[in-house]
């Protein structure tokens, strides 16, 4: 039996925010309260001054396994996740080969079951990410896919995406969409605006996201599909998602820590380390994103953890791959840039990092209640640290050297300590 003493237990699902003891046995939450039992605990964690919350859930990571494991693999990726307080993550399908067939999926799911945290896998939507032929949705679902996404490659054909949404709706599974119309992008990874002009780099305008979101919320409304608008970056897209929800569409939105924290200015200092799809945009967009986080339009924080090698990122802007890592800084970015600034409470931030993503995927996690799986994060909201070392194989983060608040001390998955600072 494990006793977690004196922590501030914050559980968004039940609106619990209370300093108490938490007891864990056989991988499950046994009970709350200082006098819960006379029995001796085998291990005691002193969580005085710390927040005890459900293990974090990230619906959007890239573990590059199989085929691109020089960037990350499922073992290093799960270590990075555990160090960031995550106990459940959802891997995207843009691996090599792509996860668009039962063989690749089954092998991966089997290996993912051996990991210390829960690593789930989406299936591609289209064969070879070509946006032309649907994967076998039934077979992929039957072999362990938790949802569908061609993340990385936008699906540009409206008729095709409608068919894909119908399939996802029939199975009541989420379909996650990377919303950028490539025909409107001059260059990926940098917002089209003052900074791209200054650098003479073309750029990807917010319009490229907006037109896709506008199209897909209407198709979502028509089909009833559970649609996750991935890594929302444009202020107008936030308004569109709000509108979709008001119409009753089953539309959800996720935002990355970088999109709520920084703007296109950061490219000037960090170059390719701040290149990602969609790009970080203007202060106006960032403020609209925060508005969307506050009023519930944006349901989830997701990292889009996208490891790349130092050599790849050292190339010139146009050639370097897009993406940054995020698992080990996500919680602290939320604490520092949303809670400490007074935008969200811990309860609200944690809701978007635990129960909301868990519910979208119908995962049995994200809740601290008697009998629930003992997936927990214990962090010190006041402790600051400077971002420097990573458990990830990659270090492509523009936040290296930044001081953040909110240090993870323990991550517990199925009652076992999987990370200890
Ligand atoms: O910047 C990005 N990188 N955006 C994506 O959607 C994909 C990701 C990657 O796989 O590197």
């Amino acid at each position: 039996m494990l006793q977690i003493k004196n922590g501030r237990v914050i559980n968004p699902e039940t609106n619990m925010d209370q300093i108490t003891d938490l007891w864990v046995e056989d991988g499950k939450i046994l009970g709350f309260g200082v006098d819960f039992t006379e029995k001796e605990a085998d291990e005691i964690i002193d969580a005085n001054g710390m927040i005890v919350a459900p293990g974090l859930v990230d619906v959007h990571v890239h573990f590059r396994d199989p085929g691109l494991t020089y960037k990350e693999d499922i073992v290093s990726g799960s270590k990075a996740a555990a160090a960031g307080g995550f106990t459940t993550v959802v891997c995207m399908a843009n691996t090599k080969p792509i996860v668009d067939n039962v063989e690749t999926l089954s092998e991966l799911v089997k290996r993912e079951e051996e990991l210390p945290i829960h690593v789930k896998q989406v299936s591609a939507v289209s064969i070879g990410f070509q946006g032309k032929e649907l994967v076998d949705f039934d077979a992929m679902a039957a072999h362990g896919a938790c949802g569908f996404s061609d993340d990385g490659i936008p699906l540009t054909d409206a008729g095709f995406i409608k068919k894909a949404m119908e399939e996802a709706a029939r199975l009541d599974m989420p379909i996650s969409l990377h919303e950028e119309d490539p025909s409107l992008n001059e260059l990926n990874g940098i917002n089209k605006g003052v900074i791209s002009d200054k650098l003479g780099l073309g750029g990807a305008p917010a319009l490229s996201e907006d037109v896709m979101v506008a199209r897909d919320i209407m198709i979502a409304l028509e089909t009833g599909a559970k649609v996750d608008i991935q890594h929302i970056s444009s202020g107008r897209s936030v308004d569109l998602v709000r509108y979709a929800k008001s119409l009753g569409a089953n539309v959800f939105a996720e935002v990355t820590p970088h999109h709520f924290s920084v703007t296109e200015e950061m490219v000037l200092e960090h170059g390719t380390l701040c290149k990602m799809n969609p790009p970080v945009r203007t202060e106006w967009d960032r403020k609209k994103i925060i508005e969307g986080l506050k009023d519930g339009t944006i349901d989830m924080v997701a990292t889009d953890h996208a490891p790349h090698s130092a050599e790849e990122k050292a190339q010139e802007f146009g050639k370097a791959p897009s993406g940054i890592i995020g698992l080990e800084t996500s919680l602290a970015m939320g604490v520092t840039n949303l809670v400490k600034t007074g935008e969200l409470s811990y309860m609200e931030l944690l809701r978007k990092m635990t129960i909301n993503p868990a519910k979208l995927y119908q995962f049995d996690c994200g809740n601290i209640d008697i009998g629930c799986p003992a997936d927990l994060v214990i962090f010190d909201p006041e402790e600051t640290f400077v971002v420097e070392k990573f458990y990830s194989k990659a270090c492509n983060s523009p936040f290296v050297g930044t001081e953040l608040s909110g240090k993870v001390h323990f991550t517990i998955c199925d009652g076992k300590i999987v990370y200890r600072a």
Side-chain angles (χ1 to χ4, degrees):
M1 188 166 50
L2 169 68
Q3 179 184 7
I4 302 165
K5 274 177 84 147
N6 287 322
R8 176 178 169 194
V9 179
I10 300 186
N11 184 40
E13 175 64 348
T14 55
N15 279 314
M16 179 185 191
D17 184 348
Q18 192 185 325
I19 295 181
T20 185
D21 287 12
L22 193 58
W23 302 79
V24 169
E25 195 170 51
D26 296 332
K28 306 257 189 258
I29 306 290
L30 195 62
F32 302 94
V34 181
D35 303 322
F36 174 73
T37 171
E38 308 245 290
K39 277 204 276 176
E40 287 273 307
D42 307 309
E43 176 155 18
I44 298 175
I45 292 177
D46 181 5
N48 193 14
M50 301 210 209
I51 291 176
V52 181
L56 307 179
V57 182
D58 188 343
V59 295
H60 191 154
V61 305
H62 299 268
F63 281 178
R64 311 297 191 203
D65 203 338
L68 299 162
T69 51
Y70 65 95
K71 299 179 196 244
E72 194 80 288
D73 59 46
I74 55 171
V75 173
S76 62
S78 14
K79 280 191 189 146
F86 291 89
T87 49
T88 303
V89 298
V90 176
C91 291
M92 293 297 115
N94 60 342
T95 49
K96 210 172 163 185
I98 290 169
V99 188
D100 62 1
N101 62 86
V102 164
E103 205 187 342
T104 306
L105 173 67
S106 305
E107 174 64 22
L108 205 44
V109 167
K110 197 166 78 199
R111 290 173 53 225
E112 286 165 348
E113 274 159 13
E114 307 298 312
L115 297 166
I117 63 157
H118 306 293
V119 176
K120 313 278 187 178
Q121 185 61 50
V122 298
S123 158
V125 172
S126 73
I127 302 288
F129 278 10
Q130 296 297 307
K132 293 202 164 72
E133 193 188 335
L134 290 175
V135 301
D136 183 337
F137 273 57
D138 290 296
M140 296 306 263
H143 287 85
C146 63
F148 298 88
S149 182
D150 271 11
D151 175 56
I153 307 291
L155 286 159
T156 53
D157 184 316
F160 182 80
I161 191 68
K162 178 160 176 276
K163 281 194 210 124
M165 283 196 207
E166 282 162 357
E167 286 293 276
R170 183 173 61 75
L171 295 170
D172 190 25
M173 288 170 75
I175 177 163
S176 302
L177 302 175
H178 183 133
E179 303 291 48
E180 285 188 283
D181 185 331
S183 70
L184 292 168
N185 286 355
E186 284 170 45
L187 179 69
N188 281 341
I190 179 168
N191 183 46
K192 178 151 187 63
V194 285
I195 305 296
S196 67
D197 284 354
K198 200 173 193 168
L199 298 172
L201 278 178
L207 180 66
S208 130
E209 179 169 301
D210 299 337
V211 293
M212 296 278 277
V213 173
R215 181 198 72 176
D216 290 337
I217 59 174
M218 297 321 287
I219 305 178
L221 185 63
E222 177 80 15
T223 58
K226 209 152 69 169
V227 171
D228 171 18
I229 304 294
Q230 296 183 295
H231 37 46
I232 200 160
S233 70
S234 144
R236 289 207 179 91
S237 287
V238 175
D239 288 339
L240 287 166
V241 170
R242 185 178 295 111
Y243 177 59
K245 289 186 182 220
S246 78
L247 296 178
N250 217 353
V251 166
F252 301 80
E254 58 178 67
V255 68
T256 71
H258 40 284
H259 287 106
F260 67 63
S261 297
V262 297
T263 63
E264 57 186 346
E265 304 279 324
M266 207 182 195
V267 181
L268 287 177
E269 198 187 332
H270 294 278
T272 62
L273 278 183
C274 202
K275 177 178 182 182
M276 71 285 289
N277 302 340
V280 285
R281 302 197 190 272
T282 65
E283 185 60 11
W284 181 82
D285 293 291
R286 197 183 76 84
K287 291 239 168 76
K288 295 284 282 187
I289 284 169
I290 289 179
E291 225 175 79
L293 279 163
K294 286 171 100 153
D295 73 6
T297 299
I298 301 177
D299 308 270
M300 298 169 288
V301 172
T303 61
D304 191 12
H305 179 81
H308 294 292
S309 73
E311 295 72 31
E312 289 168 322
K313 279 291 195 182
Q315 298 172 92
E316 67 186 68
F317 200 93
K319 289 200 180 131
S322 290
I324 67 171
I325 56 169
L327 282 166
E328 294 170 70
T329 46
S330 179
L331 177 61
M333 296 273 284
V335 169
T336 308
N337 297 324
L338 296 174
V339 182
K340 298 283 179 196
T341 53
E343 308 291 2
L344 295 187
S345 63
Y346 283 111
M347 184 74 80
E348 288 163 329
L349 173 65
L350 290 167
R351 192 183 301 283
K352 294 174 199 295
M353 299 186 79
T354 60
I355 192 67
N356 283 1
K359 278 190 176 161
L360 173 63
Y361 277 88
Q362 297 173 3
F363 292 150
D364 182 18
C365 63
N367 186 13
I368 306 180
D369 217 342
I370 295 169
C372 286
D375 290 356
L376 302 164
V377 58
I378 304 175
F379 66 99
D380 184 338
E382 302 307 328
E383 189 172 337
T384 59
F385 67 99
V386 175
V387 179
E388 48 185 0
K389 284 200 220 113
F390 298 103
Y391 284 84
S392 169
K393 279 189 188 177
C395 57
N396 53 309
S397 165
F399 302 109
V400 170
T402 305
E403 186 176 270
L404 298 174
S405 299
K407 189 167 162 49
V408 174
H409 279 252
F410 293 92
T411 305
I412 296 168
C413 190
D414 286 328
K416 293 190 197 78
I417 298 174
V418 292
Y419 173 76
R420 191 189 288 256

